[in-house]
Amino acid sequence: MALPPRCLVDDLRAEEVLLPPEAQHHLARVLRLRSGDAIELVDGRGGLAHASLAASGAARIVAREPTAAPDEPRVELAVAMPRLTRLEWLVEKACELGAARLRLLYTRYGERDVNPTRLFRLQRLADEALAQCRRLHRMEVVAAATLDSVLAAGAASQAEVWFAAPPGQSGASAPRAGAARRAVLAL
């Protein structure tokens, strides 16, 4: 039996939730679901609800699951900006692998910057990947920063910071189990 499709919504507290226009289109036109078909709703903060599709473009919640806690440690990827097509792929894969946040880094040879419109699109791609890979917690795509500011923020929050290095070069040691609640992986 196939799993019901998932939609990301803002709030799961109401008995009937209006679905975003993109979700309405996807469910009705692409998946060809009909009124009464089962779907799942997630809020990106660990909430999950089982619902049935209504003809009005809404979903009626049938049952709610207990809110799930985020995975520990929360892993943040700090990545030099690749070209935009590769960046979109990176956002999808980082979300599928369970990263809590993707922070873009300003580097000497990386792409220059990501404008707010592109950042919004990248967040939307992360949200689509969340529904596709059945995650409950939203991956945040954050505007670019310098490596120094990322390291300072990591030190302030007592996060472990690991660096990925090519084979043959020295890199950070493997993380210690249970040592930190948050980790920053700089690639």
Side-chain angles (χ1 to χ4, degrees):
M1 182 168 133
L3 296 171
R6 281 194 174 174
C7 296
L8 179 66
V9 295
D10 292 331
D11 194 5
L12 293 175
R13 291 179 288 191
E15 292 304 313
E16 188 166 288
V17 178
L18 183 63
L19 298 173
E22 305 85 29
Q24 289 178 26
H25 172 78
H26 184 72
L27 294 172
R29 303 281 186 238
V30 178
L31 298 179
R32 298 179 187 202
L33 297 182
R34 298 176 192 248
S35 181
D37 286 346
I39 62 171
E40 293 179 340
L41 305 175
V42 295
D43 63 4
R45 297 179 298 278
L48 171 65
H50 303 278
S52 64
L53 191 60
S56 63
R60 288 188 191 94
I61 294 180
V62 177
R64 290 180 179 80
E65 298 286 332
T67 302
D71 295 334
E72 296 289 341
R74 290 178 39 93
V75 176
E76 175 180 332
L77 295 178
V79 181
M81 278 187 275
R83 296 192 187 272
L84 292 177
T85 55
R86 291 181 183 179
L87 179 56
E88 291 177 354
W89 177 87
L90 176 66
V91 167
E92 290 176 11
K93 298 311 167 200
C95 184
E96 291 170 3
L97 289 171
R101 177 180 292 155
L102 179 67
R103 167 136 351 239
L104 304 173
L105 293 176
Y106 289 121
T107 60
R108 184 176 187 181
Y109 297 110
E111 290 293 309
R112 293 290 176 227
D113 202 358
V114 174
N115 63 37
T117 304
R118 177 62 65 172
L119 196 61
F120 178 78
R121 174 169 165 64
L122 293 174
Q123 184 63 61
R124 199 174 90 223
L125 286 171
D127 292 345
E128 290 170 3
L130 170 138
Q132 183 70 28
C133 70
R134 309 195 66 78
R135 279 181 64 161
L136 295 178
H137 292 89
R138 191 176 197 204
M139 182 184 81
E140 182 182 9
V141 181
V142 184
T146 64
L147 181 59
D148 290 339
S149 65
V150 170
L151 294 176
S157 67
Q158 298 179 345
E160 283 193 24
V161 179
W162 311 316
F163 288 89
Q169 295 183 7
S170 63
S173 60
R176 297 180 310 274
R181 295 179 53 106
R182 183 170 164 259
V184 178
L185 178 59
L187 303 174

